[in-house]
Amino acid sequence: MSEVLHRRDLLTPQRIEYGWYVLDVGGIGVTTGLALTVPLEDDRLPGQVVSSRPSGFPSAEVDDIHVVGPGNWIDAAGEAHSEPRLIELSVSPAPVGLSAEVAVHHDIWAWFDFAGTPHPDVYQRNAPRLAAALEELNSVLGVRGEPGEATYFGSATNFGIATPDALDDGVGPSVMDRI
């Protein structure tokens, strides 16, 4: 998954972060951050993760794994800008089954910025990259991703962010009161 996002310059993995839980107890409140000194596909990485288990919890298991790093977004003039955690990728190895999540928290994927101003050039330079990555992830994983729940900031679609209806003056809803 990270390879798909990396090829589109949306996520350059630099570290992984993961919590720990104890079966039948729950989360233990310990989070580990591990710098990626080897690639994610390196056979040594799972051993490094297990070796970082908190010594006070010998039966602890890895909770959600977050792949952390910057990605590049492109402004209206076509200039790329590095942004920490542009895309958030997490995988859950829960005993009930694997699941993964791709999350975004920026207005560059939407037709309107957070103030409600249309920014079609920014949208056209970024939203298609996200859509192509999500489409490829569906193909690579062999499943169709499910959009997450709507938030105050927007609603996910299968391949991006839904465009809300414009107000009478052509602007979108402002969400600046929550930023």
Side-chain angles (χ1 to χ4, degrees), residues 73-77 107-111 119-128:
W73 66 279
I74 304 168
D75 67 20
D107 62 6
I108 61 169
W109 318 108
W111 184 260
H119 59 173
D121 292 336
V122 171
Y123 172 81
Q124 289 298 333
R125 294 179 192 277
N126 295 287

Side-chain angles (χ1 to χ4, degrees), residues 12 21 24 27 30 34 39 71 82 91 99 102 115 119 124-125 128-129 131 142 144 159 162:
T12 300
Y21 74 95
D24 297 327
V30 176
L34 185 64
S82 181
V91 178
S99 64
V102 174
H119 59 173
Q124 289 298 333
R125 294 179 192 277
R129 297 168 52 226
R144 184 179 175 110
F159 299 111

